[in-house]
Amino acid sequence: MVKFFALLAAGLPLALQVAAVPSLPRDITFPDGASKIAFDDDNKVFIAFNSADKELGTFPVTTRSLTRRAGTCVPMTNDDIGKMPGIDKLRAKADSNWGTGKRKEVVNDPGMPESPANICADDAGAVVVYDAKPDCKTRTNDAEGTLEGGKIILENSEGANLKTTTTVTKASTFGISNKIGVAFHFPGVADVSDDITTKSDFTNTQGDANEVGSDQRTVQRIEQTIDEGQNCKLQLSTNSCSVTGKGSLKMIASGMLWFEYGKRVDGHFKWGIPIEDVLTDINDRSSAIEFKTTGNLDASSHFSSEGCKNGTAVATPA
């Protein structure tokens, strides 16, 4: 089944407007093959048609708000319509369906706080590609602990700690002013850390910088059994890496694009096309935010013993 999310757009003469701006709730499911939607001003219902103009059914309107993925989407604006790389395909579809008469292209009536045409961050997030192999150095220090019952006991932080500054080098052409919640994916560094995924806010303004990091350290309790008179010590190693890289985040348009005509076309003033139904290639309806990142990745996870002849050191969660 195919789901469509529709919104009646404003801007027509008062006699052609309705008292409340309707939308299709998410739980309305259109029949397979529905490729265009009309709003019936007289009966206040949506009508679904297939590509052969066969009516597939009518659906009542609702004024219930629609929800968006929190932090990852912003409402699409009328200015964004022409910024989709594949907009000509949508216009050609409208021309084929309803001719080239005078019309407006509209998304998201401002009287509706939640609207079905959105621009959302790609679910895949932003993947960082390192400019070069991270430059890593290892520091080794003697560990300080306490002697209890024939054991050296100490606590140590184990795991990776990533701190970076991410700067927008090229803004998306879409007019996104809100901060976007984004998942950043940093590749692992051999012998230092596995892949790291962390979430942070992102802006769409060239030159804007945001702190992006992830502290995955946990405290470990380390015990080393010793014999009396042994000159036993533990050493902890810390890997510190400088990381620089770049990446991009696709901002993707989806939802309903309405074509509003000054005269009835096929019996209706307003016809809608689901953007993703025509622009099946995401690149035709997306614009990327490009960024660079620089920072440090530290990992304290290795310990060794020296001069301890009675067993090996054992680490357990503190």
Side-chain angles (χ1 to χ4, degrees):
M1 303 296 283
V2 181
K3 288 182 179 288
F4 293 96
F5 315 124
L7 173 66
L8 172 65
L12 291 176
L14 182 61
L16 303 181
Q17 297 184 18
V18 294
V21 180
S23 68
L24 289 172
R26 290 186 181 274
D27 55 1
I28 286 184
T29 302
F30 286 97
D32 289 333
S35 62
K36 48 193 173 183
I37 308 298
F39 180 70
D40 186 332
D41 297 85
D42 299 323
N43 298 304
K44 306 300 184 284
V45 294
F46 290 100
I47 309 173
F49 296 85
N50 65 14
S51 58
D53 292 328
K54 179 182 178 181
E55 183 176 323
L56 302 179
T58 60
F59 303 86
V61 302
T62 176
T63 55
R64 184 175 63 184
S65 296
L66 300 179
T67 58
R68 300 191 307 269
R69 289 176 290 158
T72 64
C73 297
V74 296
M76 192 174 182
T77 69
N78 290 342
D79 288 340
D80 293 325
I81 295 173
K83 296 174 182 177
M84 290 185 289
I87 183 58
D88 287 342
K89 296 179 182 179
L90 286 161
R91 290 168 176 163
K93 183 71 172 177
D95 292 345
S96 175
N97 287 345
W98 310 296
T100 58
K102 186 177 181 180
R103 67 194 181 204
K104 295 180 180 179
E105 298 169 353
V106 182
V107 290
N108 293 336
D109 189 309
M112 190 72 171
E114 293 288 346
S115 55
N118 294 320
I119 296 173
C120 299
D122 190 349
D123 286 337
V127 178
V128 175
V129 178
Y130 294 134
D131 293 333
K133 183 179 179 180
D135 180 21
C136 299
K137 294 179 172 59
T138 302
R139 303 190 308 272
T140 301
N141 300 307
D142 291 342
E144 295 183 359
T146 59
L147 182 61
E148 298 179 12
K151 294 181 180 179
I152 296 177
I153 298 176
L154 58 92
E155 290 186 347
N156 175 57
S157 294
E158 180 178 351
N161 183 27
L162 174 70
K163 293 182 178 180
T164 69
T165 299
T166 299
T167 305
V168 176
T169 55
K170 183 180 180 181
S172 166
T173 56
F174 290 140
I176 303 167
S177 57
N178 302 41
K179 285 189 174 182
I180 301 293
V182 179
F184 289 87
H185 305 288
F186 290 81
V189 178
D191 300 323
V192 178
S193 77
D194 296 327
D195 294 351
I196 293 176
T197 296
T198 183
K199 292 184 178 181
S200 180
D201 288 337
F202 209 32
T203 59
N204 187 42
T205 303
Q206 186 167 338
D208 270 12
N210 296 277
E211 300 299 318
V212 178
S214 176
D215 190 345
Q216 301 181 345
R217 293 174 297 181
T218 59
V219 177
Q220 298 286 311
R221 175 184 171 92
I222 300 173
E223 297 184 2
Q224 168 68 58
T225 302
I226 62 173
D227 289 336
E228 185 177 352
Q230 280 187 342
N231 183 19
C232 174
K233 64 180 180 181
L234 298 180
Q235 293 181 322
L236 298 177
S237 298
T238 300
N239 291 312
S240 183
C241 307
S242 297
V243 294
T244 60
K246 57 182 175 293
S248 63
L249 174 71
K250 285 184 178 180
M251 301 302 298
I252 305 169
S254 63
M256 192 70 71
L257 172 60
W258 283 96
F259 295 88
E260 298 184 349
Y261 294 84
K263 297 180 179 179
R264 290 183 187 269
V265 180
D266 294 339
H268 304 285
F269 291 103
K270 311 171 189 69
W271 287 92
I273 298 177
I275 294 171
E276 57 270 40
D277 189 59
V278 175
L279 305 184
T280 54
D281 185 344
I282 286 179
N283 293 318
D284 281 341
R285 51 189 175 93
S286 66
S287 174
I289 301 173
E290 299 179 6
F291 63 89
K292 65 179 180 180
T293 186
T294 181
N296 293 291
L297 173 65
D298 296 326
S300 301
S301 59
H302 304 288
F303 63 89
S304 61
S305 58
E306 180 179 324
C308 305
K309 300 180 181 178
N310 188 7
T312 57
V314 177
T316 57

